[in-house]
Amino acid sequence: MSDRALTVLVHGSSGSGKSTLAATAPGPRLFLDVEKKSRFLRNKKVKWDPRKGEAPPVDDGTWDMCVVIVNDFEDVTKAHDWLKSGKHPFRSVILDSISELQIQCMDGITGRKLAKTQDWGTLLQRMGGFARDLRDLTANPVNPLEAVVITSMSMDDGEMLRPYLQGQLKHQISYIYDITGYLYVEDVVDPETGEVEEVRRLITRRHPQYEAKENVGGRLPMYVDYPDVSAMLDSIFGPREEPLAAAKS
């Protein structure tokens, strides 16, 4: 089992590029599409419906992103069963987003009725367990993933902007993953041309306004411009070593 693995939770406002950033994880990728935004990504895609008992598609070179449309919590649990078995071609899994998935999960618990006290306990058990299950796929003994990327909306809790989650999970989520980053877009003026350029930046360390942290030994700067998950893996672990047979060919 390789130690080259990274788990990332990225939050930010709408339009900051969270889905695009997540799609830079090493391919082939599994994209758990809760927000129904994968259609806007430029990757070569194939769809998969694990609830029909279908096996994941074969990595035949015609696609780099496998999309599972998530309409309820059972969709992600069925996909996770395949990931846990190791019988899949994926190097990365993306959940877009955990904020929307939590809403779906609560709808399934309450039937879209007012939540009772015990419902919040059930929600924490299911969502907290699933959040850790995704993380643990990087240590799967059969077929470990190289990257797990979770996106989240941001919320202002009166102290700072945090990942948008309800209940106790909002206090626990940043402890689960290697990196919790805040993604935003900043207008930067080129001093030579005077032209304004939109720069996407990821904050990876503690900040008074945004929840962020890293647990990768300081191998990433506090501000990562034009963030790319595959490039972050290289920064932390060095370039990926290709299998000997592939290198010879």
Side-chain angles (χ1 to χ4, degrees):
M1 181 177 67
S2 173
D3 289 333
R4 181 186 172 90
L6 186 66
T7 59
V8 182
L9 170 67
V10 55
H11 67 105
S13 60
S14 177
S16 58
K18 299 183 294 295
S19 302
T20 302
L21 168 57
T24 64
R29 313 157 183 85
L30 175 62
F31 195 97
L32 301 174
D33 189 2
V34 192
E35 296 193 352
K36 318 303 188 289
K37 291 181 180 178
S38 62
R39 65 188 186 277
F40 301 116
L41 298 173
R42 296 181 180 179
N43 303 72
K44 296 182 291 183
K45 307 179 195 74
V46 65
K47 287 191 176 181
W48 172 41
D49 187 353
R51 291 183 70 161
K52 292 182 177 179
E54 301 172 354
V58 175
D59 179 18
D60 59 5
T62 63
W63 58 274
D64 59 57
M65 177 180 285
C66 175
V67 177
V68 172
I69 299 298
V70 178
N71 293 309
D72 58 43
F73 194 70
E74 187 176 356
D75 288 324
V76 294
T77 57
K78 291 294 185 181
H80 177 262
D81 288 343
W82 281 100
L83 294 170
K84 188 176 181 180
S85 74
K87 299 176 181 178
H88 63 82
F90 309 119
R91 287 174 59 196
S92 305
V93 62
I94 298 159
L95 174 63
D96 187 36
S97 69
I98 194 170
S99 307
E100 188 70 24
L101 182 64
Q102 188 186 53
I103 294 170
Q104 287 188 1
C105 186
M106 182 59 99
D107 284 347
I109 294 169
T110 66
R112 294 193 173 182
K113 296 179 182 178
L114 187 65
K116 300 177 182 178
T117 301
Q118 62 266 30
D119 295 331
W120 291 104
T122 303
L123 181 70
L124 177 62
Q125 181 184 35
R126 292 183 185 178
M127 287 297 303
F130 184 68
R132 290 172 174 83
D133 286 344
L134 286 181
R135 174 200 62 192
D136 292 346
L137 290 170
T138 59
N140 183 281
V142 179
N143 187 7
L145 292 178
E146 196 169 343
V148 173
V149 185
I150 318 296
T151 72
S152 170
M153 295 180 282
S154 292
M155 62 175 291
D156 187 346
D157 68 353
E159 296 181 1
M160 63 173 60
L161 287 175
R162 303 181 187 273
Y164 179 75
L165 290 163
Q166 297 176 304
Q168 291 299 312
L169 188 59
K170 67 183 178 182
H171 300 296
Q172 300 176 6
I173 193 69
S174 65
Y175 295 96
I176 296 175
Y177 302 110
D178 299 323
I179 294 172
T180 296
Y182 176 73
L183 184 67
Y184 68 102
V185 179
E186 182 173 340
D187 291 336
V188 177
V189 179
D190 188 312
E192 295 184 0
T193 65
E195 295 182 353
V196 178
E197 179 184 6
E198 286 189 348
V199 176
R200 281 186 167 81
R201 284 184 169 151
L202 184 71
I203 299 177
T204 66
R205 298 185 188 178
R206 293 183 62 183
H207 190 285
Q209 294 175 280
Y210 315 106
E211 182 164 25
K213 65 94 182 176
E214 60 87 15
N215 191 29
V216 295
R219 296 174 187 172
L220 292 177
M222 180 169 182
Y223 297 94
V224 180
D225 289 355
Y226 306 104
D228 179 297
V229 177
S230 295
M232 289 162 66
L233 276 158
D234 287 345
S235 295
I236 296 168
F237 299 102
R240 184 174 184 266
E241 294 183 7
E242 298 296 332
L244 183 60
K248 288 182 178 180
S249 64

